[in-house]
């Protein structure tokens, strides 16, 4: 017989165990032991980049775990990633957040990516640790190397590109972080290297490249490089 759901089913107290809600075969539960082993030294490596005074900082392992969720499930927006972790029980469990714990603001990621994470080179160290773990598990042998890339469009208008010698980098409106990194990269280049100057540069994002992909319109963008070792063994799911 068809019934009707009552309007008021609230309880005064709930007994909830987040650990029991995550299935044994869930992707995040399967990769959690490896992630925990790789991130065991994360805080020690980042300790010199944190101040001993001020407000309590956000655990860097929490931010790395959230980024891993984004990579695993194709969540490219950090704003959306924070929203998903706020609502998804498995994401909270993987990030070691209780039901009442607060999820970091999305701006925290950009601040740390351009500060502590970049200065410490921690993301590269995590990547190399993952490769070593795969080699130890016999998934890859490391006897060959393949590189592929996809173009990610930069947040820069393709109609405002200028030749490098046409831009006055000393102007006050050009004193941005992106411009400082671009000029620092020029100073670090090998003077004997035979490199051609770029045809066009974006004044707002000079580190981006003037490029085109697969017969599409030209644009300013970045190359997202995907690297893998050859002779991999199949990993059943």
């Amino acid at each position: 017989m068809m019934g009707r759901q009552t309007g008021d089913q609230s309880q005064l107290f709930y007994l909830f165990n987040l650990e029991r809600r995550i299935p044994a075969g869930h992707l995040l539960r399967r990769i959690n032991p490896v992630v925990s082993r790789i991130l065991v030294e994360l805080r020690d490596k980042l300790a010199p980049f944190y101040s001993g005074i001020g407000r309590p900082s956000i655990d860097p392992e929490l931010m790395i775990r959230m980024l891993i969720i984004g990579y695993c499930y194709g969540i490219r927006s950090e704003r959306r990633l924070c929203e998903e972790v706020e609502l998804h029980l498995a994401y909270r469990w993987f990030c070691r957040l209780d039901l009442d714990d607060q999820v970091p603001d999305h701006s925290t990621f950009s601040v740390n990516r351009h500060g502590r994470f970049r200065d410490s080179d921690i993301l590269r160290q995590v990547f190399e640790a993952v490769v070593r773990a795969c080699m130890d598990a016999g998934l890859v042998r490391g006897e060959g190397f393949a590189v592929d890339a996809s173009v990610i469009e930069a947040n820069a208008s393709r109609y405002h590109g200028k030749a490098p010698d046409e831009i006055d980098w000393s102007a006050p409106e050009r004193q941005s972080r992106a411009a400082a990194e671009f000029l620092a990269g020029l100073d670090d280049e090998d003077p004997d290297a035979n490199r051609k100057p770029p045809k066009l540069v974006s004044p707002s994002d000079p580190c981006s490249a003037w490029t085109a992909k697969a017969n599409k319109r030209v644009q300013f963008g970045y190359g997202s490089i995907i690297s893998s070792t050859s002779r991999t063994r199949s990993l059943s799911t």
Side-chain angles (χ1 to χ4, degrees), residues 2-232:
M2 181 183 298
R4 181 182 296 273
Q5 190 174 21
T6 60
D8 185 10
Q9 295 182 338
S10 60
Q11 296 179 218
L12 184 59
F13 299 102
Y14 287 89
L15 180 60
F16 189 90
N17 190 320
L18 186 58
E19 175 72 27
R20 296 179 182 176
R21 296 290 177 174
I22 313 304
H26 195 280
L27 173 62
L28 295 180
R29 185 179 285 279
R30 294 167 60 190
I31 69 174
N32 182 60
V34 180
V35 172
S36 300
R37 185 167 64 252
I38 291 174
L39 299 183
V40 67
E41 298 178 353
L42 181 67
R43 297 185 189 89
D44 294 338
K45 293 180 179 179
L46 286 173
F49 299 90
Y50 282 81
S51 173
I53 59 176
R55 294 183 302 172
S57 62
I58 296 175
D59 191 340
E61 181 175 340
L62 169 58
M63 288 185 284
I64 297 295
R65 284 179 174 270
M66 290 181 65
L67 291 176
I68 291 174
I69 290 175
Y71 299 146
C72 289
Y73 293 96
I75 306 175
R76 299 178 61 179
S77 167
E78 290 166 353
R79 187 186 297 270
R80 185 189 161 205
L81 176 60
C82 293
E83 295 174 352
E84 292 291 335
V85 173
E86 177 75 34
L87 300 173
H88 202 292
L89 293 181
Y91 296 173
R92 279 186 169 272
W93 173 86
F94 182 75
C95 293
R96 299 179 176 178
L97 292 173
D98 205 349
L99 293 178
D100 296 329
D101 290 339
Q102 186 175 1
V103 177
D105 187 79
H106 65 90
S107 61
T108 305
F109 290 94
S110 58
V111 171
N112 281 273
R113 181 181 293 107
H114 296 297
R116 301 181 182 95
F117 288 176
R118 174 175 295 184
D119 295 340
S120 63
D121 203 26
I122 194 64
L123 295 179
R124 177 178 294 277
Q125 296 179 41
V126 171
F127 174 79
E128 292 173 350
V130 171
V131 174
R132 286 194 299 269
C134 292
M135 295 178 67
D136 294 340
L139 301 177
V140 296
R141 298 183 182 178
E143 298 178 1
F145 200 75
V147 177
D148 191 13
S150 59
V151 177
I152 299 177
E153 186 173 0
N155 188 19
S157 174
R158 64 192 182 102
Y159 301 107
H160 295 162
K162 295 183 179 181
D165 55 357
E166 295 180 357
I167 303 177
D168 181 12
W169 297 110
S170 62
E173 63 271 16
R174 300 282 179 250
Q175 304 305 310
S176 62
R177 176 184 53 79
E181 292 180 352
F182 173 71
L183 297 176
L186 294 180
D187 294 337
D188 294 339
E189 284 188 354
D190 184 359
D192 298 328
N194 186 18
R195 294 191 182 95
K196 294 182 179 180
K199 181 180 179 181
L200 293 176
V201 173
S202 168
S204 60
D205 191 358
C207 290
S208 60
W210 182 246
T211 182
K213 176 188 176 184
N215 298 325
K216 295 184 178 180
R217 63 180 175 84
V218 291
Q219 63 189 19
F220 288 105
Y222 288 89
S224 176
I225 299 178
I226 304 173
S227 305
S228 62
T229 53
S230 65
R231 296 194 182 185
T232 60

